[in-house]
Amino acid sequence: MHKSYNPSVYDWITLLKIAWRLEFECIKHHAIAELTARKDDPTNGLPPSEQILIALHCNIPSWLEPAYTKIVYDSAPLSFDVSVKLPPEVAIMLC
């Protein structure tokens, strides 16, 4: 019997980082497409801060503005834990 495998968001992130590092463009584009479709899912999506980190690391500029906007318009300020993960210039810009 064949069981289908449905990778989690974090599996796709891992695959994206590997494909980015090894310059596997086709796999990288597929992983970006999968993550883009899932990143705003309320139950299994990615927090905006994580979207920023991945976008900066893997050169996905289309993710940056929406993630910045979510953080800026969020009623809660950035937590210390989140702000230390971001590059200093990004954390300062978002405060």
Side-chain angles (χ1 to χ4, degrees), residues 29-46:
H29 290 299
H30 186 69
I32 290 171
E34 286 288 333
L35 288 167
T36 299
R38 299 178 184 196
K39 69 181 174 67
D40 295 323
D41 182 328
T43 55
N44 296 319
L46 293 168

Side-chain angles (χ1 to χ4, degrees), residues 12-82:
W12 282 112
I13 292 168
T14 301
L15 185 60
L16 172 62
K17 289 179 179 180
I18 292 168
W20 182 81
R21 181 169 291 212
L22 297 176
E23 299 180 9
F24 293 159
E25 293 299 316
C26 185
I27 296 171
K28 182 171 82 171
H29 290 299
H30 186 69
I32 290 171
E34 286 288 333
L35 288 167
T36 299
R38 299 178 184 196
K39 69 181 174 67
D40 295 323
D41 182 328
T43 55
N44 296 319
L46 293 168
S49 58
E50 192 145 352
Q51 292 176 28
I52 292 168
L53 290 171
I54 294 166
L56 292 172
H57 179 74
C58 297
N59 192 25
I60 312 170
S62 63
W63 284 18
L64 291 172
E65 185 178 341
Y68 290 151
T69 302
K70 284 179 190 169
I71 289 175
V72 168
Y73 287 109
D74 189 5
S75 59
L78 279 178
S79 69
F80 178 76
D81 294 338
V82 169

